Structures are given as C-alpha cells and as structure tokens.
Amino acid sequence: QVQLVVSGGGLVHAVGSLRLSCASSGRTFSIVTMAWFRQVPGQGREFVAASSWRYGPTYYADSVKGRFTISRDNAKNTLYLQMNSLKPEDTAIYYCTIRAIDIYWGQGTQVAVSS
C-alpha cells in the first residue's frame, strides 16, 4: 500500500507562485513514476506534469511548460510542483498520482488564481 498526502494549495493573485508537495509513505520502494493532474469541476482531468522517480526524466503539458517545474526529494519520498507565473486558467483541483505496483491517488488540493 502507498499513501499520498498533498499540501500547498491556496489562493494567489495572477503571476504569483505556489509550491505543491506530495509526500508518499508505505511501499515507496516500488514507485516508478509520479505525476500531477488537475481538474475543473464538470470538466475532464488534465495532465500537468510527470517525473520518473529513479531516473529523472520529466514531462510537461504545453499549457504549463516554462512556468511549472516538477521535482522530487527521494530521501523524503516527496514530489513537488513549483508553479510560477500563475494564471486564472490554472485554477483547478490538483491531484498527485503514483504508479507503483498499482496506481494511487492523493486527495485533491484547491489552487485558485485571481486576476
């Protein structure tokens, strides 16, 4: 079993910054990839960014490329999403997900960006 605890969401003005954290516990030795998704109520889930846990390659959606940075602290089993130059369009519920033996999801954290 793997558990995920997400923190760091909040309200920020446009062009501001937030840093989301996703701390994992349990069978973390089995983690292969971690990723961030976001969702606006009533709309589909959108991919944001992903990272290979062991080898480092990262991937970004075009909508956030150049503004968001995904990183990790392997010693703390924690994934981060640094969000800079935030736009109102970034307002959504953000989710952390892990692929290990199975796929696990953390609770959503609200990010709201005002104009």
Side-chain angles (χ1 to χ4, degrees), residues 8 12 18 23 30 34 42-43 49 51 66 71 90 92 101:
V12 67
L18 286 172
S30 65
M34 299 184 73
Q43 301 182 18
S51 175
S71 62
D90 296 318
I101 297 174

Side-chain angles (χ1 to χ4, degrees), residues 67-108:
R67 300 188 298 117
F68 291 10
T69 302
I70 189 171
S71 62
R72 66 197 187 280
D73 185 334
N74 290 22
K76 297 181 178 180
N77 295 315
T78 300
L79 185 76
Y80 302 98
L81 184 67
Q82 178 66 48
M83 304 183 292
N84 297 328
S85 301
L86 283 162
K87 305 175 181 179
E89 305 92 272
D90 296 318
T91 296
I93 299 173
Y94 284 71
Y95 298 90
C96 172
T97 184
I98 267 181
R99 182 167 74 88
I101 297 174
D102 296 308
I103 297 175
Y104 303 89
W105 291 88
Q107 89 284 3

Side-chain angles (χ1 to χ4, degrees), residues 5-9 19-23 36 78-81 96 107 109:
V5 178
V6 183
S7 62
R19 189 190 195 192
L20 304 184
S21 298
C22 177
W36 294 95
T78 300
L79 185 76
Y80 302 98
L81 184 67
C96 172
Q107 89 284 3
T109 187

Side-chain angles (χ1 to χ4, degrees), residues 26-74:
R27 299 178 63 187
T28 56
F29 62 87
S30 65
I31 295 173
V32 177
T33 58
M34 299 184 73
W36 294 95
F37 286 78
R38 65 188 182 186
Q39 185 171 24
V40 176
Q43 301 182 18
R45 183 178 60 191
E46 178 187 12
F47 169 77
V48 176
S51 175
S52 169
W53 187 248
R54 296 184 179 183
Y55 306 114
T58 57
Y59 310 90
Y60 297 92
D62 289 341
S63 60
V64 306
K65 194 173 299 181
R67 300 188 298 117
F68 291 10
T69 302
I70 189 171
S71 62
R72 66 197 187 280
D73 185 334
N74 290 22

Side-chain angles (χ1 to χ4, degrees), residues 7-18:
S7 62
L11 174 65
V12 67
H13 293 292
V15 308
S17 299
L18 286 172

